Amino acid sequence: MAEKKAPEEVQKDKSMLQQKTMLADHAERLAHAKEAGTKVVYTFVPGNLTELILAAGAIPVYPEINALQSGMRKLSAEYIQEAERFGHSEDVCTYVKCDIGMMLKGNIGPTGEKLPEPDLLLLSYTGCFVFMKWFENLKRHYNCPCVMLHVPYQADGEVTPAMLQYVTDQLEQEVIPALEKVTGNKLDREELRAKMALSRAAEDNLVWALQSAKQRPSPIDAYFAGVYYIGPMFTAFRGTAAAVEYYRLLREEIEGKIARGEGPTTPEGIMEKERFRLVMEGPPNWTSFRDFWKIFHEEGAVIVASSYTKVGGLYDLGFRHDPDRPLESLAEYCLGCYTNLNLPSRVSLLKKYIEDYSADGFVINSIKSCNSFSAGQLLMMRELEEQTGVPGGFIESDLVDPRYYSQANIKNRLESYFQMVAQRRASKGAMNAETSA
Ligand code: SF4
């Protein structure tokens, strides 16, 4: 059994350290992009077209990732205040305000390197209206071209052939020409196929890693550690050999944990006893990420599946990027992002997770400034409780605005919730014993 770590001594798996190196290399490439003549494309995580950007010879920047990293590094409060002084109201998505505040203060990225200005804004619109307003603001500030990929919302819970064709046509007729114009290069279609083959290999191991949480005890926390696991896949590394290697290493690491019967690695060591298995809906709070996680791991609560780790792609339902149908599969990918799913589809996905991962309950972290996730969550909670019979917990916080995170309130609520889950489980156990007696 691993020793508990002193609070300041954070336990990190090898894969986490490798990811840190990958991110540092990417920050370095970005810092020198202008002098190297490499074009920079800003884009969003849901519906990102990373393979296409890389195959065109450009480098991607993801404003949401900068915002969440600023939150984790305690820089977001200052950036948000700067954006509010500039005129953005308190109700605006705090990722947007954090990004705009960072830009107004010189665009020094979370690693301390200045971020290059965009040569192109690639607005992949997948279900959240804020994406459009965000890039409208950036376009005005940077005075650079913006190309929009309009992805139809899955309002009826399905992707029709016409929807697929509509997105594929835009990729061919709008997005690729815009990338070619900015980079001055004709898109290398063979390079795109090769990158998509690498994506597929990495995706297989990501899915394996997330599904390892079906084991008892779960070897991973699919939310708090899961957000690190999705990092390379949802950002600049999809379609690269580095991502394939990262996910191979992650799988090897988890296989080792399963063989040893070990629980998830938390910042304070390996969790010793799994008491609760939970499904999580909603993004995490980033400004107090470690304290937030601590409330769960101190109670022996493991998140075995979460919707947030699907925000940049729903691979566990079978989707893979396909080198033989590159544009069609990019279109399928964008249409299938979690942000593009209607409420009934979200409910059935969470229900499937509760059942497939044998969860004792589910928790909704309702994010004050993210309507894309939080709208309808109380209704979803009621539906899920009715359909699964397991109890739901509801807490409220924010992404990167520390004014909306209260450790004491959230801890109180969760402690009561854990007690309720334990009581329900005990009375269910007693009923089962009576029935079989
Ligand atoms: S509202 Fe939510 S989904 Fe939309 S941009 Fe903000 S954080 Fe992302």
Side-chain angles (χ1 to χ4, degrees), residues 93 95 128 130-131 134 339 369-372 399:
C93 163
Y95 271 180
C128 176
V130 173
F131 292 143
W134 191 341
T339 48
S369 67
C370 175
N371 288 337
S372 178
L399 296 160

Side-chain angles (χ1 to χ4, degrees), residues 287-315:
T287 47
S288 300
F289 184 80
R290 208 173 139 187
D291 290 337
F292 186 36
W293 186 356
K294 194 172 181 183
I295 303 174
F296 288 83
H297 70 69
E298 278 189 345
E299 294 278 347
V302 180
I303 310 298
V304 287
S306 74
S307 53
Y308 182 68
T309 49
K310 315 298 154 28
V311 70
L314 254 170
Y315 299 105

Side-chain angles (χ1 to χ4, degrees), residues 336-350:
C337 287
Y338 189 75
T339 48
N340 205 44
L341 301 188
N342 67 3
L343 290 184
S345 304
R346 294 182 191 202
V347 169
S348 48
L349 184 70
L350 291 164

